[in-house]
Amino acid sequence: MSSPPVRRRRDRDATQARILKAAIAEFARFGIAGARGERIAQRARSSERMIYYYFGSKDGLFRAALEAVYAALRDAEHALELDQLEPQAALEAFCRFVWRYYVEHPEFISLLNTENLHQARHLRKSERLGELVSPVIGQLAQLLSRGERAGVFRAGVDPVELYLAVASLGYFALSNRHTLSAVLDRDLRLDANLERHWRASAEIVRRYLAA
């Protein structure tokens, strides 16, 4: 039978997790200024008092939410097994992973858009910034090296620039899908049009790396 301190710790962890999940949804929909503690508390089946007890302030809660979505992306990237694929197939798999992740986690895009409006003020204050650094740059460097040795990728490609290119091709179309759909007269909310964009983007990346 669990001791009372263990139960209390589990209850505390469960409450914090519920608050954080609710906060991510609230910030993703309303931003920092529009987010309301009472809505977060209601969704988390908690109280505003407990929110501020655990996270200190709205800024503290937003920082924790931002850390959580970054950590989730880091963990997903860490699970990639690109070494088991041929370089060109691994490149395609990586691109698809990034673009699909953005689609499946719209809260990530929303929170990043908000944080960029605040010039990364919350992220720069994070005590977890070091552990949130993505492992994917190292993975891409290894992939580029393998592709160069195999004669399918050109030499001298910066893995950071490659990551920026891949991320931008997926992120921009989703973060601006409503305005782009309006001005381009092509509904980027439709799966078929999104797939068309991904195929074109993959071709752009392949040509960029081609030996």
Side-chain angles (χ1 to χ4, degrees):
M1 185 174 179
S2 300
S3 64
V6 172
R7 282 201 301 272
R8 283 196 295 270
R9 184 168 63 251
R10 288 175 179 169
D11 289 345
R12 178 197 64 198
D13 293 345
T15 299
Q16 286 181 292
R18 289 198 310 272
I19 291 172
L20 198 53
K21 182 178 180 180
I24 290 171
E26 179 77 6
F27 287 127
R29 182 174 180 182
F30 298 104
I32 296 178
R36 294 293 179 264
E38 62 268 22
R39 287 197 297 256
I40 295 172
Q42 183 177 18
R43 185 190 290 259
R45 306 190 310 278
S46 186
S47 66
E48 285 191 73
R49 182 181 66 83
M50 296 307 294
I51 291 174
Y52 295 112
Y53 174 77
Y54 286 126
F55 297 98
S57 64
K58 183 189 279 190
D59 275 357
L61 182 58
F62 180 77
R63 183 168 60 250
L66 194 63
E67 290 168 346
V69 297
Y70 263 108
L73 174 60
R74 177 206 60 200
D75 292 345
E77 289 174 339
H78 189 70
L80 284 172
E81 296 181 346
L82 301 179
D83 290 344
Q84 298 182 6
L85 300 172
E86 293 299 317
Q88 289 174 320
L91 175 65
E92 176 84 16
F94 173 73
C95 291
R96 290 285 179 160
F97 160 79
V98 172
W99 301 334
R100 191 173 296 112
Y101 190 92
Y102 292 160
V103 171
E104 294 174 353
H105 297 85
E107 73 283 355
F108 179 78
I109 289 180
S110 294
L111 265 66
L112 261 64
N113 285 344
T114 296
E115 181 64 352
N116 275 292
L117 288 174
H118 289 82
Q119 301 180 351
R121 172 168 59 90
H122 303 87
L123 192 61
R124 294 182 193 281
K125 292 180 179 179
S126 172
E127 295 179 356
R128 298 180 58 194
L129 186 58
E131 71 181 79
L132 297 176
V133 173
S134 171
V136 78
I137 301 303
Q139 291 173 291
L140 285 180
Q142 293 176 6
L143 172 58
L144 289 169
S145 180
R146 285 200 299 122
E148 184 181 345
R149 291 196 302 271
V152 295
F153 294 162
R154 65 183 176 87
V157 177
D158 184 341
V160 172
E161 292 298 334
L162 175 59
Y163 181 78
L164 287 173
V166 172
S168 299
L169 286 166
Y171 191 98
F172 181 80
L174 291 175
S175 64
N176 297 275
R177 60 167 56 182
H178 300 292
T179 52
L180 288 172
S181 295
V183 300
L184 298 178
D185 194 27
R186 177 178 293 176
D187 193 347
L188 293 177
R189 296 168 298 180
L190 298 179
D191 289 344
N193 287 335
L194 196 56
E195 175 63 28
R196 178 192 296 184
H197 171 65
W198 286 352
R199 287 199 303 269
S201 298
E203 179 66 16
I204 290 170
V205 176
R206 280 194 298 270
R207 289 176 179 271
Y208 171 64
L209 290 183

